[in-house]
Amino acid sequence: MKIMTKPEYERWTASTRDERMKWWREAKFGMFVHYGLYAMIGRNEWAQVDENIPPEEYAKLADDFPYKKGMAEEWVKLAKASGMKYIVLTTRHHDGFSLWDSKVNPFNSVNYGPKVDIVKEFTDACRKHGMRIGLYNSLMDWHNPDAFDCMSEKAAYDRFIEYTYELNRELMTNYGKIDILWYDGSNPLCSAAGWDSLRRNQMIRKLQPEIIINNRSCLDEDYGTPEAHITPMERDWEACMTFNGISWGYVNSEYAASYSYTPSRILTMLNTCVECGGNLLLNIGPKPDGSIPEEVVEPLTKVGAWLSENGESVYSLPRVEGRIGGNGVTYETQNGNNIYLWNRIWCGEPEIGVGGYVVPPEKITLLATGEELEFEALEHRLIIKNLPKDCPDKHAGVAVFKLEFKDKPQYIYASRYPQLHGGEKIL
Ligand code: GLC
């Protein structure tokens, strides 16, 4: 296979990106699943290194890895019920344990523990439930001595690079169409040249012509991956967040529950992503046997119920350009002439004010029910009237007002106080 140079490859990936990314840009919300031997320790997926557990001792966990057949389908069903459109599974985290029948890595879930090809179960379940498939694969490997010796020995380096190439080739060959390859952990080689990423990624794209690749193989590829924070980027981006702000891998459900995100907190994160042109990849860390931790089920299914009524304010929306009017308790998304105001705290008043539109909308409705709401348009100020005392959204306490304008809405920031806000007057 002829390998393109970096500039050639980047030109080619840029010219084909829009087509490849279409579904992903519409999807907005995905599930990250961190599952592996570290679930048995229950103190973060970095336990091996953080607690300095010798590799031989850590590897013994594999003998008793208690994955229960069928659990992968449970993850997929939960993602579906949560309104998520894709799932990314850690097929092999930094500990080097493969969740598939690897021929190059005998340290895997078919040779040890459950003797199950979990990646096969997972990809089958995704297809069964119409879920897009993402495979996470670490570059770094704490189990393979070559991953350390590669820094000082040429033979170890060559072996390790071929090993990395083959692991990815297996994943891209044996499980049908894969939608996303989610790389992670570029230590210790830390550069595209060091990891030979150009050659490997071109092989991957040849095997999976529509695949989307993230930016963690030291090439920019298709999208950026802000981690544990939601920081918009100019390019396509996806924020990955844990469910408790603490660990990607499983931690005891009873103790983790109080740190878990509530439905409204999840919607706040999702709103920022949609408004700023990104996706949200929200993580769950299944228990040692693969079952779903209790604390994630209720918040996620409530978000799913909310999305089934309010999805129009999320899926397929473009990044918001410029500012949008609202008030101190709303967040906004936009689709052309329609503005969606996500009212995140219901203040219990019969009226709420919304500032800043130069021309009032033609209609305001409650998105979930389509109920038309009465409103009054004062100068650059809308008063929505006759609101009930209790928030009409029972899933997350986030009611969405849909404002439909005749033309593209124009926004003016505090028209009465231009001196306070730099005088952004439109009229
Ligand atoms: C970090 C961590 C890893 C986690 C990942 C998710 O790179 O090393 O444990 O899987 O972030 O983005």
Side-chain angles (χ1 to χ4, degrees):
M1 188 174 104
K2 184 181 172 296
I3 311 295
M4 287 180 249
T5 62
K6 188 162 181 266
E8 281 167 351
Y9 180 62
E10 289 184 339
R11 261 198 307 277
W12 178 78
T13 49
S15 70
T16 49
R17 183 161 299 128
D18 282 347
E19 199 180 333
R20 182 162 63 244
M21 296 292 281
K22 189 170 177 302
W23 75 262
W24 187 94
R25 289 174 183 157
E26 290 171 358
K28 305 294 177 198
F29 193 27
M31 178 183 274
F32 213 170
V33 178
H34 270 69
Y35 180 60
L37 300 179
Y38 41 83
M40 298 166 78
I41 299 176
R43 287 184 300 273
N44 194 296
E45 72 288 350
W46 273 72
Q48 178 178 353
V49 162
D50 286 347
E51 300 180 18
N52 215 1
I53 303 171
E56 323 73 70
E57 185 185 325
Y58 184 90
K60 289 200 186 110
L61 292 170
D63 294 327
D64 303 317
F65 185 41
Y67 175 78
K68 234 171 60 203
K69 262 183 149 323
M71 285 299 143
E73 186 166 5
E74 299 303 313
W75 312 332
V76 179
K77 284 191 199 153
L78 177 64
K80 185 137 196 175
S82 311
M84 293 158 160
K85 304 295 185 190
Y86 60 104
I87 313 191
V88 179
L89 168 68
T90 53
T91 64
R92 176 178 144 279
H93 203 262
H94 310 329
D95 64 4
F97 186 70
S98 287
L99 301 186
W100 76 93
D101 187 10
S102 173
K103 300 300 174 235
V104 291
N105 180 19
F107 187 47
N108 68 52
S109 64
V110 173
N111 289 336
Y112 291 87
K115 308 209 169 349
V116 173
D117 187 325
I118 300 172
V119 172
K120 171 96 174 70
E121 280 203 357
F122 170 71
T123 50
D124 286 350
C126 285
R127 287 193 189 101
K128 180 170 162 194
H129 295 280
M131 193 57 68
R132 295 276 187 169
I133 301 170
L135 303 183
Y136 164 114
N137 195 13
S138 171
L139 290 166
M140 171 157 75
D141 189 312
W142 300 326
H143 184 77
N144 184 342
D146 287 339
F148 300 92
D149 299 340
C150 66
M151 298 303 282
S152 50
E153 268 179 45
K154 171 88 172 71
Y157 173 82
D158 290 345
R159 273 196 309 270
F160 186 51
I161 290 299
E162 269 330 284
Y163 173 73
T164 308
Y165 187 93
E166 283 304 314
L167 287 171
N168 284 284
R169 204 180 55 76
E170 287 181 348
L171 287 173
M172 296 301 132
T173 309
N174 298 338
Y175 300 93
K177 182 168 182 272
I178 305 302
D179 298 295
I180 299 169
L181 174 60
W182 216 101
Y183 278 121
D184 191 26
S186 59
N187 277 325
L189 294 162
C190 295
S191 70
W195 284 106
D196 199 16
S197 291
L198 269 176
R199 181 172 72 100
R200 191 182 53 260
N201 291 5
Q202 288 178 51
M203 170 274 290
I204 286 164
R205 290 195 186 277
K206 198 152 197 292
L207 293 170
Q208 297 280 348
E210 291 173 36
I211 201 160
I212 292 170
I213 302 180
N214 78 351
N215 67 339
R216 294 197 183 180
S217 63
C218 306
L219 289 171
D220 286 345
E221 289 289 0
D222 291 321
Y223 67 94
T225 52
E227 174 179 317
H229 56 92
I230 302 183
T231 309
M233 302 171 83
E234 284 308 313
R235 60 181 308 200
D236 288 297
W237 60 277
E238 170 192 72
C240 50
M241 302 293 290
T242 64
F243 210 84
N244 50 30
I246 296 168
S247 172
W248 300 90
Y250 174 70
V251 284
N252 183 304
S253 275
E254 192 186 331
Y255 300 131
S258 54
Y259 295 92
S260 296
Y261 293 140
T262 59
S264 65
R265 181 81 197 278
I266 295 168
L267 290 177
T268 298
M269 298 193 284
L270 187 59
N271 178 280
T272 309
C273 293
V274 176
E275 182 182 343
C276 302
N279 283 9
L280 175 64
L281 187 67
L282 186 58
N283 179 74
I284 68 164
K287 294 182 180 185
D289 68 356
S291 58
I292 294 168
E294 292 80 22
E295 72 274 14
V296 308
V297 176
E298 191 181 312
L300 280 181
T301 45
K302 284 188 164 167
V303 167
W306 185 93
L307 281 165
S308 69
E309 293 173 1
N310 296 285
E312 186 188 315
S313 64
V314 172
Y315 302 119
S316 304
L317 298 196
R319 177 190 295 245
V320 168
E321 281 166 27
R323 287 194 66 117
I324 303 181
N327 66 34
V329 292
T330 63
Y331 269 1
E332 305 84 23
T333 52
Q334 177 174 15
N335 193 8
N337 295 354
N338 296 339
I339 301 286
Y340 303 95
L341 296 183
W342 303 28
N343 193 96
R344 296 175 308 142
I345 298 177
W346 195 262
C347 295
E349 304 294 333
E351 297 185 346
I352 67 160
V354 169
Y357 293 102
V358 175
V359 177
E362 300 197 304
K363 194 166 153 187
I364 301 183
T365 49
L366 197 60
L367 179 61
T369 59
E371 182 196 341
E372 201 161 335
L373 301 173
E374 201 186 313
F375 69 96
E376 188 185 350
L378 306 171
E379 195 200 358
H380 304 160
R381 183 171 174 225
L382 305 173
I383 310 286
I384 308 178
K385 301 187 160 191
N386 297 329
L387 297 170
K389 182 147 181 32
D390 294 325
C391 178
D393 176 60
K394 300 299 172 223
H395 308 299
V398 179
V400 178
F401 300 116
K402 179 178 179 184
L403 280 54
E404 295 175 52
F405 293 84
K406 184 158 174 290
D407 300 308
K408 194 150 186 224
Q410 258 190 312
Y411 172 72
I412 183 168
Y413 196 5
S415 57
R416 294 168 69 84
Y417 309 106
Q419 71 281 15
L420 292 185
H421 298 288
E424 293 173 41
K425 238 178 173 314
I426 286 177
L427 291 180

